[in-house]
Amino acid sequence: MLAVSLVVFGQYVWLLAALVVATILSAGGLFLWRAHRREQEGDRTWREQNRRMALERSMTAIDGMGWQDFEAYVAELCRRDGCTKVLVVGGSGDLAADILGYLPDGRRLVVQVKHYAPHRKVPSGDMQKFVGMAFAEHHADVALFVATCEYSGSARQLALKHHIVALNRDLFGSWNSGASLPSLLGLGGTGAGPERRRRPRKA
């Protein structure tokens, strides 16, 4: 009887020891996993902070440009992303178009550019002029409005209603930082123009 008791007790001791070891290993693994997650989150936070700082430095340089330099710069971004026959046409009598060209897929691109101070908002009147001219006068397949500030609520609603791709300061910052123009077209408005103009034109 004593021998049986010792065997049973010995088995329970080993079982208890195994449970203790398993618990310690699990706790250690959980600690290491949490430490790894904290390190990953810290790295993501650091990268995001650096990205935002770089973007702000870049946007500060953009803010320091004159409006003509900014128009030329936006035209260069269009060319960078594969647009063809890009022309800067802004100025007196431009009929609410600053840049004309063609997207890589052949659609006609008409761009309105507003180099406003960051605290300003694009008013409804500016959007109304562009809506009135982009498709009827300039035959846009894609009408792109680029601003260095935000849009007023009424201007944003007009853009959505009339299929204007409206890039605000943040979206322009993404474009300036390397995002391609085609990837942004669906983010500021519908990105495709009215139904009747969705077929690509030949450049």
PDB file of all heavy atoms in Angstrom, residues 74 78 109-113 130 142-146 164-167 175 181 185:
ATOM      1  N   VAL A  74       2.838  70.769 -60.032  1.00  0.00           N
ATOM      2  CA  VAL A  74       1.754  69.795 -60.184  1.00  0.00           C
ATOM      3  C   VAL A  74       1.827  69.140 -61.560  1.00  0.00           C
ATOM      4  O   VAL A  74       1.605  67.927 -61.696  1.00  0.00           O
ATOM      5  CB  VAL A  74       0.383  70.467 -59.957  1.00  0.00           C
ATOM      6  CG1 VAL A  74      -0.760  69.514 -60.316  1.00  0.00           C
ATOM      7  CG2 VAL A  74       0.237  70.917 -58.506  1.00  0.00           C
ATOM      8  N   CYS A  78       2.202  65.097 -62.524  1.00  0.00           N
ATOM      9  CA  CYS A  78       1.417  64.385 -63.534  1.00  0.00           C
ATOM     10  C   CYS A  78       2.343  63.615 -64.477  1.00  0.00           C
ATOM     11  O   CYS A  78       2.112  62.433 -64.774  1.00  0.00           O
ATOM     12  CB  CYS A  78       0.555  65.363 -64.330  1.00  0.00           C
ATOM     13  SG  CYS A  78      -0.783  66.141 -63.388  1.00  0.00           S
ATOM     14  N   LEU A 109      -7.280  64.616 -69.086  1.00  0.00           N
ATOM     15  CA  LEU A 109      -7.181  65.142 -67.727  1.00  0.00           C
ATOM     16  C   LEU A 109      -7.201  66.665 -67.753  1.00  0.00           C
ATOM     17  O   LEU A 109      -6.446  67.289 -68.504  1.00  0.00           O
ATOM     18  CB  LEU A 109      -5.874  64.656 -67.081  1.00  0.00           C
ATOM     19  CG  LEU A 109      -5.557  65.178 -65.680  1.00  0.00           C
ATOM     20  CD1 LEU A 109      -6.553  64.622 -64.656  1.00  0.00           C
ATOM     21  CD2 LEU A 109      -4.129  64.793 -65.284  1.00  0.00           C
ATOM     22  N   VAL A 110      -8.081  67.246 -66.951  1.00  0.00           N
ATOM     23  CA  VAL A 110      -8.145  68.697 -66.794  1.00  0.00           C
ATOM     24  C   VAL A 110      -7.960  69.008 -65.313  1.00  0.00           C
ATOM     25  O   VAL A 110      -8.654  68.447 -64.456  1.00  0.00           O
ATOM     26  CB  VAL A 110      -9.494  69.261 -67.295  1.00  0.00           C
ATOM     27  CG1 VAL A 110      -9.555  70.769 -67.071  1.00  0.00           C
ATOM     28  CG2 VAL A 110      -9.683  68.938 -68.772  1.00  0.00           C
ATOM     29  N   VAL A 111      -7.006  69.890 -65.010  1.00  0.00           N
ATOM     30  CA  VAL A 111      -6.635  70.153 -63.616  1.00  0.00           C
ATOM     31  C   VAL A 111      -6.822  71.634 -63.277  1.00  0.00           C
ATOM     32  O   VAL A 111      -6.376  72.511 -64.025  1.00  0.00           O
ATOM     33  CB  VAL A 111      -5.155  69.764 -63.353  1.00  0.00           C
ATOM     34  CG1 VAL A 111      -4.829  69.899 -61.862  1.00  0.00           C
ATOM     35  CG2 VAL A 111      -4.877  68.350 -63.851  1.00  0.00           C
ATOM     36  N   GLN A 112      -7.458  71.863 -62.154  1.00  0.00           N
ATOM     37  CA  GLN A 112      -7.526  73.194 -61.558  1.00  0.00           C
ATOM     38  C   GLN A 112      -6.664  73.171 -60.304  1.00  0.00           C
ATOM     39  O   GLN A 112      -6.739  72.230 -59.494  1.00  0.00           O
ATOM     40  CB  GLN A 112      -8.958  73.545 -61.193  1.00  0.00           C
ATOM     41  CG  GLN A 112      -9.127  74.832 -60.388  1.00  0.00           C
ATOM     42  CD  GLN A 112      -8.748  76.075 -61.155  1.00  0.00           C
ATOM     43  OE1 GLN A 112      -7.608  76.518 -61.085  1.00  0.00           O
ATOM     44  NE2 GLN A 112      -9.687  76.654 -61.880  1.00  0.00           N
ATOM     45  N   VAL A 113      -5.821  74.171 -60.134  1.00  0.00           N
ATOM     46  CA  VAL A 113      -4.876  74.216 -59.021  1.00  0.00           C
ATOM     47  C   VAL A 113      -5.134  75.476 -58.193  1.00  0.00           C
ATOM     48  O   VAL A 113      -5.252  76.575 -58.750  1.00  0.00           O
ATOM     49  CB  VAL A 113      -3.421  74.229 -59.546  1.00  0.00           C
ATOM     50  CG1 VAL A 113      -2.433  74.414 -58.408  1.00  0.00           C
ATOM     51  CG2 VAL A 113      -3.117  72.933 -60.300  1.00  0.00           C
ATOM     52  N   PHE A 130     -15.114  75.610 -61.850  1.00  0.00           N
ATOM     53  CA  PHE A 130     -14.466  74.438 -62.421  1.00  0.00           C
ATOM     54  C   PHE A 130     -15.491  73.438 -62.952  1.00  0.00           C
ATOM     55  O   PHE A 130     -15.333  72.881 -64.042  1.00  0.00           O
ATOM     56  CB  PHE A 130     -13.565  73.779 -61.373  1.00  0.00           C
ATOM     57  CG  PHE A 130     -12.664  72.717 -61.927  1.00  0.00           C
ATOM     58  CD1 PHE A 130     -11.886  72.946 -63.044  1.00  0.00           C
ATOM     59  CD2 PHE A 130     -12.580  71.467 -61.322  1.00  0.00           C
ATOM     60  CE1 PHE A 130     -11.039  71.966 -63.561  1.00  0.00           C
ATOM     61  CE2 PHE A 130     -11.730  70.488 -61.812  1.00  0.00           C
ATOM     62  CZ  PHE A 130     -10.971  70.741 -62.941  1.00  0.00           C
ATOM     63  N   VAL A 142     -11.464  63.133 -66.844  1.00  0.00           N
ATOM     64  CA  VAL A 142     -11.218  63.236 -65.401  1.00  0.00           C
ATOM     65  C   VAL A 142     -10.916  64.692 -65.085  1.00  0.00           C
ATOM     66  O   VAL A 142      -9.992  65.280 -65.656  1.00  0.00           O
ATOM     67  CB  VAL A 142     -10.035  62.341 -64.954  1.00  0.00           C
ATOM     68  CG1 VAL A 142      -9.709  62.587 -63.486  1.00  0.00           C
ATOM     69  CG2 VAL A 142     -10.360  60.877 -65.187  1.00  0.00           C
ATOM     70  N   ALA A 143     -11.700  65.266 -64.168  1.00  0.00           N
ATOM     71  CA  ALA A 143     -11.507  66.646 -63.736  1.00  0.00           C
ATOM     72  C   ALA A 143     -10.900  66.624 -62.341  1.00  0.00           C
ATOM     73  O   ALA A 143     -11.514  66.121 -61.401  1.00  0.00           O
ATOM     74  CB  ALA A 143     -12.839  67.392 -63.732  1.00  0.00           C
ATOM     75  N   LEU A 144      -9.704  67.164 -62.218  1.00  0.00           N
ATOM     76  CA  LEU A 144      -8.937  67.086 -60.972  1.00  0.00           C
ATOM     77  C   LEU A 144      -8.760  68.478 -60.379  1.00  0.00           C
ATOM     78  O   LEU A 144      -8.254  69.384 -61.048  1.00  0.00           O
ATOM     79  CB  LEU A 144      -7.570  66.459 -61.260  1.00  0.00           C
ATOM     80  CG  LEU A 144      -6.562  66.382 -60.115  1.00  0.00           C
ATOM     81  CD1 LEU A 144      -7.057  65.453 -59.018  1.00  0.00           C
ATOM     82  CD2 LEU A 144      -5.201  65.908 -60.645  1.00  0.00           C
ATOM     83  N   PHE A 145      -9.173  68.642 -59.138  1.00  0.00           N
ATOM     84  CA  PHE A 145      -9.003  69.909 -58.417  1.00  0.00           C
ATOM     85  C   PHE A 145      -7.985  69.669 -57.312  1.00  0.00           C
ATOM     86  O   PHE A 145      -8.197  68.845 -56.429  1.00  0.00           O
ATOM     87  CB  PHE A 145     -10.345  70.358 -57.820  1.00  0.00           C
ATOM     88  CG  PHE A 145     -10.423  71.823 -57.490  1.00  0.00           C
ATOM     89  CD1 PHE A 145     -11.384  72.622 -58.081  1.00  0.00           C
ATOM     90  CD2 PHE A 145      -9.551  72.406 -56.582  1.00  0.00           C
ATOM     91  CE1 PHE A 145     -11.484  73.978 -57.782  1.00  0.00           C
ATOM     92  CE2 PHE A 145      -9.633  73.756 -56.279  1.00  0.00           C
ATOM     93  CZ  PHE A 145     -10.605  74.545 -56.886  1.00  0.00           C
ATOM     94  N   VAL A 146      -6.869  70.378 -57.378  1.00  0.00           N
ATOM     95  CA  VAL A 146      -5.775  70.200 -56.411  1.00  0.00           C
ATOM     96  C   VAL A 146      -5.661  71.457 -55.557  1.00  0.00           C
ATOM     97  O   VAL A 146      -5.548  72.562 -56.092  1.00  0.00           O
ATOM     98  CB  VAL A 146      -4.433  69.943 -57.131  1.00  0.00           C
ATOM     99  CG1 VAL A 146      -3.303  69.793 -56.116  1.00  0.00           C
ATOM    100  CG2 VAL A 146      -4.527  68.709 -58.013  1.00  0.00           C
ATOM    101  N   ILE A 164     -16.067  65.495 -59.557  1.00  0.00           N
ATOM    102  CA  ILE A 164     -14.755  66.156 -59.558  1.00  0.00           C
ATOM    103  C   ILE A 164     -13.844  65.427 -58.571  1.00  0.00           C
ATOM    104  O   ILE A 164     -14.247  65.154 -57.439  1.00  0.00           O
ATOM    105  CB  ILE A 164     -14.872  67.635 -59.140  1.00  0.00           C
ATOM    106  CG1 ILE A 164     -15.860  68.385 -60.036  1.00  0.00           C
ATOM    107  CG2 ILE A 164     -13.502  68.302 -59.151  1.00  0.00           C
ATOM    108  CD1 ILE A 164     -15.460  68.463 -61.489  1.00  0.00           C
ATOM    109  N   VAL A 165     -12.639  65.104 -58.990  1.00  0.00           N
ATOM    110  CA  VAL A 165     -11.661  64.506 -58.075  1.00  0.00           C
ATOM    111  C   VAL A 165     -11.013  65.641 -57.296  1.00  0.00           C
ATOM    112  O   VAL A 165     -10.225  66.414 -57.855  1.00  0.00           O
ATOM    113  CB  VAL A 165     -10.588  63.704 -58.842  1.00  0.00           C
ATOM    114  CG1 VAL A 165      -9.608  63.079 -57.862  1.00  0.00           C
ATOM    115  CG2 VAL A 165     -11.242  62.638 -59.701  1.00  0.00           C
ATOM    116  N   ALA A 166     -11.357  65.768 -56.032  1.00  0.00           N
ATOM    117  CA  ALA A 166     -10.879  66.890 -55.214  1.00  0.00           C
ATOM    118  C   ALA A 166      -9.813  66.413 -54.242  1.00  0.00           C
ATOM    119  O   ALA A 166     -10.109  65.710 -53.273  1.00  0.00           O
ATOM    120  CB  ALA A 166     -12.050  67.519 -54.455  1.00  0.00           C
ATOM    121  N   LEU A 167      -8.569  66.784 -54.505  1.00  0.00           N
ATOM    122  CA  LEU A 167      -7.472  66.437 -53.603  1.00  0.00           C
ATOM    123  C   LEU A 167      -7.239  67.578 -52.633  1.00  0.00           C
ATOM    124  O   LEU A 167      -6.846  68.677 -53.040  1.00  0.00           O
ATOM    125  CB  LEU A 167      -6.180  66.167 -54.391  1.00  0.00           C
ATOM    126  CG  LEU A 167      -6.189  65.017 -55.400  1.00  0.00           C
ATOM    127  CD1 LEU A 167      -4.776  64.762 -55.912  1.00  0.00           C
ATOM    128  CD2 LEU A 167      -6.778  63.756 -54.800  1.00  0.00           C
ATOM    129  N   TRP A 175       0.200  62.377 -52.601  1.00  0.00           N
ATOM    130  CA  TRP A 175       0.650  62.386 -54.002  1.00  0.00           C
ATOM    131  C   TRP A 175       2.087  62.902 -54.075  1.00  0.00           C
ATOM    132  O   TRP A 175       2.946  62.314 -54.724  1.00  0.00           O
ATOM    133  CB  TRP A 175      -0.290  63.262 -54.817  1.00  0.00           C
ATOM    134  CG  TRP A 175      -0.058  63.228 -56.299  1.00  0.00           C
ATOM    135  CD1 TRP A 175       0.586  62.253 -57.012  1.00  0.00           C
ATOM    136  CD2 TRP A 175      -0.471  64.203 -57.256  1.00  0.00           C
ATOM    137  NE1 TRP A 175       0.589  62.559 -58.360  1.00  0.00           N
ATOM    138  CE2 TRP A 175      -0.056  63.760 -58.542  1.00  0.00           C
ATOM    139  CE3 TRP A 175      -1.162  65.414 -57.166  1.00  0.00           C
ATOM    140  CZ2 TRP A 175      -0.296  64.468 -59.705  1.00  0.00           C
ATOM    141  CZ3 TRP A 175      -1.407  66.120 -58.324  1.00  0.00           C
ATOM    142  CH2 TRP A 175      -0.987  65.658 -59.581  1.00  0.00           C
ATOM    143  N   LEU A 181      -0.892  59.143 -59.043  1.00  0.00           N
ATOM    144  CA  LEU A 181      -2.155  59.831 -59.302  1.00  0.00           C
ATOM    145  C   LEU A 181      -3.299  58.849 -59.538  1.00  0.00           C
ATOM    146  O   LEU A 181      -4.375  59.011 -58.943  1.00  0.00           O
ATOM    147  CB  LEU A 181      -1.998  60.787 -60.488  1.00  0.00           C
ATOM    148  CG  LEU A 181      -3.262  61.572 -60.883  1.00  0.00           C
ATOM    149  CD1 LEU A 181      -3.804  62.370 -59.713  1.00  0.00           C
ATOM    150  CD2 LEU A 181      -2.960  62.489 -62.073  1.00  0.00           C
ATOM    151  N   LEU A 185      -7.250  58.710 -57.518  1.00  0.00           N
ATOM    152  CA  LEU A 185      -8.432  59.220 -58.203  1.00  0.00           C
ATOM    153  C   LEU A 185      -9.732  58.813 -57.523  1.00  0.00           C
ATOM    154  O   LEU A 185     -10.709  59.552 -57.545  1.00  0.00           O
ATOM    155  CB  LEU A 185      -8.444  58.752 -59.665  1.00  0.00           C
ATOM    156  CG  LEU A 185      -7.350  59.341 -60.556  1.00  0.00           C
ATOM    157  CD1 LEU A 185      -7.506  58.833 -61.979  1.00  0.00           C
ATOM    158  CD2 LEU A 185      -7.387  60.871 -60.531  1.00  0.00           C
TER     159      LEU A 185
END
